[in-house]
Every structure is written in structure tokens, then in C-alpha cells.
Amino acid sequence: MNILHNIRQMIMVLTALFLITSCDSLVYDDEGDCTVTYRLKFRYDMNLKFADAFANEVKSVSLYAFDEEGKLVWTSSERGAALASDDYAMTLSLAPGKYRLVAWCGLGEGETFTLPDADKAEDIEDLNCRISGVTATQQQPFRSDKDLQPLFHGMMDVVLPDSDDGEDYIYTMRLTKDTNVFRVVLQHLSGEDINPDDFEFSIEDNNGWLAYDNSMLMEAPVVYRPWAVYPVEAGVGSDESEAKTHADATTRAITNVKAVVAEMTTNRLFARDWTQFAKPMLKIRAVESGKTVVSLPVIDYALMVKGKHLEEMGDQEYLDRADEYNMTLILDKDNKWVSTVINILSWRLVVNNVDVGG
């Protein structure tokens, strides 16, 4: 009897120890200590400041998870104030396994971009993104004259491990900003008045449709037109001696510079083999004569201010990091383009009488 009693006591002790240490025990059911969680943080430092700007710039996230066969198995989205928190992370409600995660961020704010096949997506190839209005069968270039909402893309492969101990796994997805703002300033060499209605501005490219991996899905031509055109004026300081030095029968000191500013927003810029593809072009046309007074390859000019300290950086990475381009174009009295000033952050380049080629 003593032997049976001792055996029963040993069984009771072992059972108690099991209940204390097991993730299935009643002790931990309410605390959730043994629950395995997977969370995804987002980081947007693919910019020229090399600093994370996710909380300040990204207003919505749409995340899609695909299994090893490329089939959609889960999706989630979130927007609003929650994304502005420094510790924001999206919970991945997925079973352990291997997945490819794709994020399109910024959708739904003005509906300037759309995922046309997302609602019926089954394969990863269905998760493409285009400018709203662009179609695969369009006969003419699509005209985009809106301030496109900031669009971001991210993609990564993850392995979600199984665990019996209950752990919190955190992953980080880096985002690329696709949209770019061009701010084109047009002025006369003489500083005389310039009328915004006298010129038409455009950027012509073929980047209207992006694939799930943020590559160019197809040649989808777009003519980007300004969403804002307005006159500006700036004072130019000069003392009397300088004015007298420059004053003669044909020259006067300029104290005010008047110009026109045109703002355009484009989709992602691509560094491509330009022997195989047409270059994206910035064009300015004089309305009265119909003559094109400026025609320059925007990507060639954008890369001119890459800078010596970034020369090791690839062209595509540089185009992805820069998202604002300020260009000042100067015309002579015959509306002939004679000079260009390009500013990107602190980099400034002046180009005089140079034909880069179209």
C-alpha cells in the first residue's frame, strides 16, 4: 500500500509541475504568456536624409501575404493616427511558415492610385498598382493633372517560426516612395514679367502602371500636367555702386525677378537602358506660337546633382531616395532656353547652353 501511495504522490507532483510549465495550462490561459505573435514594423528611410520618416509621411498601410506558391493567404490594412506612433507595428495573423509580404501604402487618400485586381487577387501577379484612369488598352497617353497622393511600396520574404514557449517576433519592412514632385520655375533672362497663361508644362513618361515588386508592369504612357501654376516674384538686392557699374545704354539693374512656377507630381522614376526606351521628357510650349521652348530629359538632369559623395550609389537608388526636384529654367527675349538651375535638397547645379539630348 505504501508503494502505491508513493506512486500516486509522485504522479500528482509531476502533474502539478506539468501544469505550471505547460503553455496549455490553466495558469497561463488568462495571461497569454505562451501565445506566439508575429509583428511587422515599417521603416521609410529610403530618402536623401537617411532618416526614418514613416510616422510623418505614411498615412495608410495595405499589407498582403502570399505563401510559397505565390497564393494570397491573408491581407490587412490600417490608417490614421495609429501609424504615427513610434512603436507602431501590424500584427501578422498567420500560421508558422514562409511568406512573401507586399505592402502598398498611401492608397485611399484621394484615390489617385488604385489596385485594380486586389479584390479578386489570388496570385501575387494580381497585386499591381496603377494611376487611376490608366488602362491596358488605352490608345492615347493618359493625362494626369492631379497632385498624386504619396505612394509607398515594400516587399520582403519572412519565415515565421513555430514555438512552444510563446514568443514575440518582430520584423521590419523598408518602404520606397514612388511619387515625385517637380517644381519648375520659368523666368526671362531680363527679369521682365511672365504670364502663366503663355506657357504649357508637361512631363511625358511611360510609368503609369507598377507590378507587385514595384517594377514597371507595362509601357503605360502618361502625360503629367501641372496641378498648380502661379506667378512669383522675388527681390534681388544690389547696392547703388553695383547698379551704376551694370547700368549702360542697353542694361539696367534688376531689383525684382518675376517668374512662373508649375508643380507636377509623377509616378516612380526608372533608370533604364535609354538605347532601348524613350527618355521621360520635360516640355514647355509657348501657347501663342505652339513652339516647344524647352525639351529636356528629366532623369538625365535629375542625376546631374547626384553629387560626388553619392557617386557610388546606384542611379535607381538615387531616384528612389529623391522625391522633390526643383528646376529653374531661364529664357532669353526670344523665349529660347539658355540656362537651367537644378536644386535637390542642398545640391545645386547650373547648366548653361548645354544640349543634353532627347
Side-chain angles (χ1 to χ4, degrees):
M1 294 295 293
N2 288 337
I3 295 176
L4 291 176
H5 177 72
N6 290 338
I7 291 174
R8 290 194 183 98
Q9 284 189 326
M10 290 178 63
I11 291 175
M12 292 174 63
V13 170
L14 291 174
T15 301
L17 289 173
F18 175 78
L19 290 174
I20 292 174
T21 59
S22 172
C23 280
D24 294 328
S25 72
L26 296 176
V27 175
Y28 290 100
D29 278 350
D30 293 333
E31 298 181 8
D33 288 352
C34 293
T35 301
V36 180
T37 59
Y38 312 107
R39 295 191 297 154
L40 183 66
K41 295 181 69 68
F42 299 89
R43 184 175 181 85
Y44 168 51
D45 60 1
M46 180 63 74
N47 51 60
L48 288 176
K49 292 184 177 180
F50 299 86
D52 184 16
F54 174 82
N56 292 327
E57 295 202 28
V58 181
K59 307 304 180 185
S60 69
V61 172
S62 295
L63 185 67
Y64 302 81
F66 298 86
D67 62 18
E68 293 184 84
E69 285 72 43
K71 301 298 182 182
L72 181 65
V73 295
W74 178 80
T75 182
S76 181
S77 61
E78 195 161 9
R79 67 176 60 248
L83 276 64
S85 172
D86 290 336
D87 59 352
Y88 170 76
M90 178 177 283
T91 299
L92 305 177
S93 301
L94 292 165
K98 296 181 180 180
Y99 301 94
R100 173 161 290 182
L101 306 178
V102 178
W104 288 107
C105 306
L107 299 172
E109 300 163 28
E111 302 299 336
T112 55
F113 286 97
T114 184
L115 304 179
D117 302 316
D119 291 341
K120 58 180 184 296
E122 295 181 358
D123 299 326
I124 195 168
E125 288 81 5
D126 295 328
L127 201 64
N128 50 77
C129 181
R130 61 172 170 80
I131 297 174
S132 296
V134 170
T135 66
T137 59
Q138 64 187 44
Q139 300 299 313
Q140 299 294 328
F142 178 76
R143 174 173 168 161
S144 174
D145 57 3
K146 295 181 179 180
D147 182 12
L148 302 176
Q149 67 210 49
L151 179 69
F152 301 81
H153 172 270
M155 185 174 72
M156 65 182 297
D157 294 328
V158 296
V159 178
L160 306 183
D162 200 355
S163 175
D164 294 329
D165 299 326
E167 296 186 41
D168 188 5
Y169 296 92
I170 299 178
Y171 306 85
T172 300
M173 174 183 282
R174 296 184 68 194
L175 301 177
T176 296
K177 188 175 185 179
D178 286 337
T179 44
N180 303 273
V181 173
F182 283 83
R183 198 167 291 107
V184 180
V185 181
L186 187 66
Q187 69 181 71
H188 279 127
L189 185 63
S190 64
E192 66 186 56
D193 288 359
I194 185 168
N195 189 337
D197 297 329
D198 290 344
F199 298 92
E200 290 183 347
F201 301 78
S202 66
I203 294 175
E204 300 176 5
D205 204 345
N206 293 304
N207 58 350
W209 207 317
L210 303 176
Y212 73 92
D213 60 357
N214 213 24
S215 63
M216 190 180 295
L217 180 65
M218 63 180 69
E219 297 288 314
V222 181
V223 175
Y224 298 98
R225 299 294 303 276
W227 46 266
V229 181
Y230 49 92
V232 294
E233 182 175 341
V236 179
S238 62
D239 56 30
E240 291 186 5
S241 61
E242 183 180 358
K244 291 179 181 179
T245 300
H246 291 284
D248 57 38
T250 59
T251 307
R252 62 182 176 84
I254 301 173
T255 57
N256 287 283
V257 174
K258 297 182 179 181
V260 168
V261 177
E263 297 191 66
M264 295 170 278
T265 307
T266 74
N267 204 356
R268 189 185 187 198
L269 302 177
F270 290 91
R272 311 174 77 186
D273 180 358
W274 301 123
T275 64
Q276 304 294 322
F277 302 97
K279 292 183 177 182
M281 302 296 293
L282 167 64
K283 295 185 178 181
I284 303 176
R285 186 177 68 90
V287 173
E288 184 175 349
S289 66
K291 178 183 177 182
T292 298
V293 297
V294 173
S295 180
L296 60 86
V298 292
I299 290 181
D300 288 353
Y301 268 63
L303 293 174
M304 282 184 179
V305 288
K306 189 174 174 181
K308 185 68 175 178
H309 66 294
L310 294 179
E311 63 180 353
E312 299 301 323
M313 181 184 292
D315 289 347
Q316 187 60 58
E317 181 180 346
Y318 180 80
L319 293 173
D320 286 337
R321 286 185 179 275
D323 65 339
E324 287 193 10
Y325 301 87
N326 299 312
M327 297 182 173
T328 300
L329 306 172
I330 301 174
L331 305 177
D332 66 10
K333 63 180 180 179
D334 297 319
N335 280 341
K336 182 180 179 181
W337 166 42
V338 295
S339 182
T340 306
V341 180
I342 307 167
N343 289 277
I344 301 176
L345 290 182
S346 60
W347 293 276
R348 184 176 186 269
L349 178 71
V350 179
V351 183
N352 293 314
N353 299 319
V354 175
D355 183 7
V356 177

